[in-house]
Amino acid sequence: MKFSLNLLNNYVDLSDLTHEEIASLLTNAGIEVESITPLAIGSNLVVGEILSKEQHPDAKTLSVLQVDLGPKYGSEQIVCGAPNCAVGQKVIVARVGAKLANDLLIGAANLRGVTSNGMVCSLSELGVNPEFLTKTQLEGIEVLSDEAIVGDEDVLNYLRLDDAILHLDLLANRPDASAAIPLALELQGLLGRKKDIVLPTVKETFKTNASVEIKTDLCPQFAIMEVSGIKNGESPLWLKNYLMASGIRSINKVVDIGNFVMILTGQPLHLYDASKVPSPKFVIKDDVIDPKFLALDEHKYDVKAGDISITSNNEIMCLGGIMGAFNSEVQLDTTRIYIESAVFDQATIRRSALRLGLMSDSSQRFAKGVNPHQATEVINLAAALLKQLCEADEFSNIVNVDNVDHTPQVIEATYDYINRRLGTSFSNEQINNALEAVNIKVTQLDEVNFKATIPPYRLDFSGPADLSEEVIRILGFESINIADLPYGAITLGKRSEKAQKEKLIRNHLLAQGLHEALTYSLTEKENQSKFAYLNKGEPYTIINPLTPLREQMRLNSLYGLIESARYNYARQLSDFGLFEISDVYKKDGEIQKQLAVILVGQIDEHGKLKQSEASFYHVKGLFESIRELFNLAASRFKLTTFSQSENELHPYRSGEIYANNRLIGVLGELHPTAKNELDFAKTPVSVLTLNLTELLKMKTSTIKASDIAKYPFVKRDLAIVVKKEVESGAIIHTIRRSAQKIVHAVDIFDVYEGEHVASDEKSLAFSLTFGDYEKTLTDHEINVAMENIMNELNTRYGARRRS
């Protein structure tokens, strides 16, 4: 938030304070000052008049000027390159030795053989923000009015640019400090410099035929006044510069008055050209649908049910709290207007503004909260300024439909509570004075109790705790007695066992060359069903989402990581891997910790010398490596065919991971259809998602050392034929169980379908390793084991040996 220090000085005397002192005062009181910057910069300036202009003998774009600097300095020769300089103009001259914006130092110069003693300046060279200058002002010198006095050295004062901009970084709970008058009242209290602030009013001269009807609970108050006899035009310099200091461009007198009142009071106003309003009956609704609403910025917006619309004769005149309609715009020929002051629902304004991309000064103030108790005062202030600047002479009564409770807020507390909460020993009088300083009226009930009446513009009070915070803000944090503060023993911090395991996984994946990502935990409703495998249920929905794209807490993390990979892939990052460890949520369920992994493109095996495409086996290998990190036996997991979605993962290159009969993971390659929809085209993409909450719950066994085998191992091959739907993992599991005492390893080395095998069957070949740590196995023992294995396979799967 930005303010003119000169504007604040009208309401509280700051003339004897340096910028640093003002910044320190406000920051220590909880209103952080980011910076204080001059509105314009320039020393050794003087108003001059161009006496003559000649073409530079050696440069077509340069002119040689004789400039009268007044009786004190006489005339000087200055070379100027501005295209708009002319004889008789009064201009800003920076004399030799002047210092301008960006540390530009002006000295005598020789420009292609012609001496130049100074510089004729533009406003941008004085540091005025170019955003507030016209094209002519940016391309040439600043031409002053005929009223400027030649030789006047207080140029910045003449231009009303001898001001500084106060930049505040306001907390969300202090919307009052975004207005100049409440901020000035704050400074009055901090400095002990009370000064009455009386806002001007106007006398009612006629009864308006305007009326107001509110058909929504989202607008508790709506007030209007009709004003006529207006002579619109360009705003005076003082008003332009006050607006510029606050970051607002000048439009015309009427519009600028509306913005100036908003700067002073924090209350956004809307001004309608009364001659363009179809009917004097204003109806406020929240059920209007207009996909082509033409706003003041000449863009069309899609107004939906739920947006607050101010209508006349069923035509939108203003999108409440956000922006007016183009068809009721105030222009230079406007002579009669309606002034609107209203209160709108904060959350609705925020949602509508974000959805439409219209975060105006008005919508931002309504979204943060405005004082709902000042409609009459702000309308009268605007009317008084219209009378002063636009010669308005007819003012109607104020039509005000008001459902706001204007009962002052009263908080009861005890002096002991204040001191105990703060760790202080302030007297009753000190507490009373501190609160009174910031316009909180204190009524002392007795030596123990008091009640405080909160000023209407302070929306941040809810209880006695806020009173204690106000006291310490005013009296200073140095008043706290440190000896009275609570203390605790120092403990040695360390990660919990769960956090240690998560860190181990994180370091392991980083060592594999993957990059850790952090994606949004909020998502849009439509994305909840995408790549949603592990956490199913009802998601948490945000009551007041900043945007529809972030309206629900995500149930699963994989899709967000895929979107992140998609974003990076679209920006020419072709071969990479990402992972994320994050919490996901659902109603009526515990928080679930999930791991999501995505591999895109080629995987380096020996740098770029040898690469392979990211595949099912790469993500399966990552899962196996994580399992081995915690010494979890492979037999405790079951890998089955993926069955949850038709077009997300490849039907033959994906799988589901079960532990204790519960789904804890899904892995595989993206389906070709999904790759096309996600813009990965033909690039290989593989993903893995794990329920770490369940995985890390599994008990891990201690790694045990064993003697090197003294007796030889024997290898046998087994080739069988089974139905195609039989999974090789299930067969391996059965082989291990059938001869678990002497089978040390089972590896599949061949899968065959085709000639000599039925169309609904497949041939699988396994390498079996047999051994016994106590003796050398005989052929008979191995043959018996092989026979037992074959019988078990036949019984379970109808397997037969391949001939």
Side-chain angles (χ1 to χ4, degrees):
M1 193 60 62
K2 301 176 183 178
F3 292 98
S4 157
L5 277 185
N6 284 353
L7 177 60
L8 291 173
N9 204 54
N10 292 334
Y11 303 104
V12 57
D13 184 10
L14 303 173
S15 57
D16 61 335
L17 299 176
T18 65
H19 291 174
E20 291 75 16
E21 287 171 334
I22 295 171
S24 178
L25 182 70
L26 286 171
T27 300
N28 290 337
I31 300 176
E32 182 180 353
V33 177
E34 288 187 329
S35 63
I36 300 180
T37 57
L39 193 60
I41 300 172
S43 63
N44 280 8
L45 300 179
V46 64
V47 174
E49 181 178 0
I50 299 176
L51 302 176
S52 66
K53 173 184 175 182
E54 295 180 2
Q55 176 70 48
H56 190 288
D58 195 28
K60 293 182 180 180
T61 59
L62 298 179
S63 301
V64 181
L65 310 177
Q66 286 295 325
V67 184
D68 179 13
L69 304 184
K72 183 176 179 180
Y73 301 109
S75 65
E76 290 284 3
Q77 177 174 280
I78 299 175
V79 177
C80 180
N84 65 327
C85 61
V87 173
Q89 290 175 341
K90 293 182 178 179
V91 294
I92 305 167
V93 177
R95 297 187 298 107
V96 173
K99 190 174 183 180
L100 307 183
N102 300 315
D103 293 325
L104 177 62
L105 190 64
I106 304 301
N110 187 296
L111 301 176
R112 294 196 177 185
V114 176
T115 300
S116 179
N117 295 313
M119 184 173 79
V120 181
C121 301
S122 66
L123 290 182
S124 61
E125 288 163 333
L126 300 183
V128 176
N129 191 334
E131 292 181 8
F132 300 97
L133 301 178
T134 65
K135 184 178 180 182
T136 300
Q137 287 176 309
L138 289 171
E139 293 177 350
I141 58 174
E142 183 69 11
V143 180
L144 306 179
S145 70
D146 293 337
E147 298 163 358
I149 300 173
V150 175
D152 182 1
E153 295 184 74
D154 198 356
V155 175
L156 294 184
N157 179 55
Y158 169 76
L159 294 170
R160 297 295 184 99
L161 292 174
D162 57 338
D163 198 355
I165 304 171
L166 181 68
H167 300 253
L168 302 182
D169 184 12
L170 296 178
L171 297 174
N173 68 326
R174 290 299 305 270
D176 60 292
S178 64
I181 291 176
L183 183 62
L185 291 172
E186 179 87 6
L187 285 164
Q188 285 184 11
L190 295 173
L191 293 167
R193 300 176 180 179
K194 284 293 183 181
K195 179 180 180 181
D196 290 336
I197 298 177
V198 180
L199 298 180
T201 61
V202 295
K203 291 183 179 180
E204 177 187 323
T205 59
F206 71 99
K207 294 290 184 182
T208 180
N209 61 352
S211 63
V212 173
E213 182 181 3
I214 298 176
K215 292 186 174 182
T216 171
D217 294 335
L218 302 176
C219 177
Q221 183 191 56
F222 192 93
I224 57 171
M225 173 193 276
E226 184 179 350
V227 180
S228 61
I230 292 170
K231 295 178 182 179
N232 202 1
E234 184 179 356
S235 293
L237 269 179
W238 67 264
L239 180 54
K240 284 184 177 181
N241 290 341
Y242 280 157
L243 293 176
M244 180 168 65
S246 295
I248 300 174
R249 179 187 290 275
S250 173
I251 305 296
N252 56 54
K253 286 182 182 179
V254 175
V255 175
D256 289 355
I257 285 170
N259 286 327
F260 183 55
V261 171
M262 178 180 69
I263 292 170
L264 286 175
T265 66
Q267 173 66 52
L269 300 179
H270 188 68
L271 310 175
Y272 305 85
D273 186 324
S275 66
K276 299 176 183 178
V277 176
S279 165
K281 182 177 181 179
F282 290 84
V283 182
I284 298 88
K285 309 177 182 179
D286 63 359
D287 58 356
V288 179
I289 298 175
D290 184 354
K292 296 182 179 180
F293 168 66
L294 184 63
L296 284 171
D297 61 0
E298 299 186 52
H299 287 87
K300 291 182 179 179
Y301 297 95
D302 183 11
V303 177
K304 297 183 177 181
D307 297 331
I308 303 171
S309 300
I310 290 86
T311 66
S312 172
N313 199 24
N314 291 319
E315 184 179 348
I316 299 177
M317 294 291 101
C318 179
L319 196 56
I322 298 177
M323 188 172 284
F326 181 76
N327 57 7
S328 61
E329 178 184 20
V330 171
Q331 296 180 318
L332 287 174
D333 59 354
T334 297
T335 60
R336 184 168 64 93
I337 67 169
Y338 292 114
I339 306 173
E340 168 214 305
S341 175
V343 177
F344 300 111
D345 179 67
Q346 293 176 241
T348 301
I349 298 298
R350 186 189 306 113
R351 280 198 300 269
S352 297
L354 285 168
R355 179 175 59 79
L356 297 170
L358 275 172
M359 292 304 293
S360 60
D361 285 313
S362 173
S363 65
Q364 289 184 35
R365 289 174 187 270
F366 276 119
K368 293 175 181 177
V370 298
N371 177 6
H373 310 290
Q374 58 178 354
T376 301
E377 289 82 358
V378 296
I379 287 179
N380 268 297
L381 173 59
L385 288 168
L386 287 168
K387 181 178 182 180
Q388 175 188 340
L389 299 179
C390 302
E391 302 177 40
D393 53 11
E394 295 290 332
F395 305 95
S396 80
N397 59 306
I398 297 175
V399 180
N400 186 9
V401 176
D402 188 356
N403 297 311
V404 174
D405 182 4
H406 295 289
T407 305
Q409 183 184 10
V410 178
I411 299 173
E412 293 192 8
T414 67
Y415 296 106
D416 182 59
Y417 169 82
I418 301 294
N419 280 318
R420 280 190 295 105
R421 189 169 191 272
L422 296 176
T424 55
S425 53
F426 296 131
S427 66
N428 293 1
E429 184 180 5
Q430 284 178 299
I431 293 174
N432 291 345
N433 292 341
L435 294 174
E436 294 277 1
V438 286
N439 299 298
I440 297 173
K441 183 180 178 182
V442 178
T443 303
Q444 187 168 339
L445 303 176
D446 51 44
E447 287 302 310
V448 176
N449 303 286
F450 70 94
K451 63 180 181 180
T453 303
I454 310 303
Y457 57 86
R458 290 298 297 270
L459 308 179
D460 54 315
F461 278 81
S462 60
D466 297 309
L467 293 175
S468 67
E469 291 169 11
E470 206 69 6
V471 168
I472 201 65
R473 264 194 342 109
I474 303 304
L475 297 181
F477 290 92
E478 65 275 6
S479 303
I480 296 174
N481 186 352
I482 298 177
D484 292 339
L485 294 178
Y487 64 92
I490 297 175
T491 58
L492 178 63
K494 66 175 183 178
R495 293 187 179 94
S496 65
E497 182 181 356
K498 179 183 173 183
Q500 287 175 342
K501 289 181 177 180
E502 290 175 15
K503 181 67 173 175
L504 187 62
I505 294 173
R506 184 175 283 110
N507 289 343
H508 173 70
L509 293 174
L510 290 171
Q512 301 302 313
L514 277 69
H515 302 277
E516 185 171 10
L518 182 64
T519 60
Y520 284 109
S521 58
L522 295 172
T523 187
E524 58 182 313
K525 184 177 180 180
E526 290 73 16
N527 290 341
Q528 292 284 24
S529 60
K530 298 176 182 178
F531 295 88
Y533 307 133
L534 303 181
N535 192 36
K536 298 181 184 295
E538 185 182 356
Y540 286 102
T541 300
I542 307 302
I543 295 175
N544 300 318
L546 292 175
T547 164
L549 298 177
R550 304 280 177 252
E551 62 179 336
Q552 290 186 344
M553 298 295 291
R554 62 183 175 185
L555 291 168
N556 293 274
S557 60
L558 180 57
Y559 182 69
L561 192 68
I562 291 173
E563 280 292 311
S564 180
R566 177 187 187 182
Y567 178 90
N568 284 278
Y569 180 79
R571 285 153 181 78
Q572 299 183 345
L573 191 62
S574 56
D575 303 319
F576 61 94
L578 301 177
F579 77 91
E580 179 178 18
I581 298 175
S582 57
D583 291 327
V584 293
Y585 309 84
K586 68 178 177 182
K587 289 184 178 179
D588 304 322
E590 67 175 0
I591 298 172
Q592 186 181 116
K593 183 76 70 175
Q594 284 189 2
L595 166 68
V597 176
I598 183 168
L599 304 178
V600 180
Q602 303 292 319
I603 305 297
D604 292 346
E605 294 182 9
H606 297 292
K608 299 297 180 184
L609 295 174
K610 184 179 180 181
Q611 296 178 310
S612 59
E613 293 186 348
S615 68
F616 167 85
Y617 293 103
H618 285 102
V619 287
K620 180 174 179 289
L622 285 175
F623 166 69
E624 295 290 350
S625 65
I626 291 170
R627 176 184 62 77
E628 291 174 359
L629 270 180
F630 302 108
N631 197 30
L632 296 169
S635 59
R636 300 176 66 178
F637 300 90
K638 184 180 180 182
L639 181 62
T640 64
T641 303
F642 178 73
S643 59
Q644 295 195 46
S645 173
E646 293 184 358
N647 297 315
E648 290 182 344
L649 296 185
H650 196 291
Y652 307 117
R653 302 174 189 170
S654 58
E656 298 174 351
I657 304 167
Y658 286 83
N660 300 323
N661 295 320
R662 291 189 62 175
L663 178 68
I664 68 158
V666 171
L667 72 169
E669 300 177 19
L670 289 195
H671 193 287
T673 302
K675 287 201 293 184
N676 287 332
E677 291 176 353
L678 293 166
D679 304 320
F680 287 115
K682 296 182 179 180
T683 300
V685 180
S686 296
V687 296
L688 164 68
T689 181
L690 288 175
N691 180 344
L692 291 185
T693 301
E694 290 299 320
L695 184 72
L696 299 181
K697 280 181 183 178
M698 299 177 71
K699 293 182 179 180
T700 58
S701 56
T702 305
I703 298 176
K704 298 178 182 179
S706 59
D707 294 335
I708 297 174
K710 299 177 182 179
Y711 304 97
F713 288 99
V714 178
K715 288 194 175 185
R716 294 283 181 90
D717 290 342
L718 175 64
I720 60 173
V721 177
V722 293
K723 293 294 185 181
K724 282 186 176 180
E725 61 268 18
V726 178
E727 298 173 357
S728 59
I731 292 176
I732 291 173
H733 185 67
T734 301
I735 292 172
R736 288 183 176 276
R737 290 184 59 187
S738 300
Q740 57 183 334
K741 291 185 178 181
I742 61 173
V743 173
H744 287 267
V746 182
D747 298 299
I748 185 170
F749 66 86
D750 184 55
V751 180
Y752 175 75
E753 297 177 17
E755 190 178 355
H756 306 305
V757 176
S759 60
D760 63 341
E761 294 181 329
K762 62 183 176 183
S763 171
L764 303 175
F766 300 90
S767 173
L768 282 61
T769 303
F770 294 92
D772 192 320
Y773 286 100
E774 303 296 330
K775 62 181 179 177
T776 300
L777 293 174
T778 64
D779 287 342
H780 174 73
E781 289 172 315
I782 294 173
N783 290 337
V784 169
M786 289 290 286
E787 199 63 34
N788 290 339
I789 290 170
M790 196 63 228
N791 290 338
E792 188 70 19
L793 293 177
N794 179 261
T795 300
R796 285 179 174 271
Y797 310 111
R800 67 179 187 277
R801 287 181 184 272
R802 181 179 176 187
S803 57

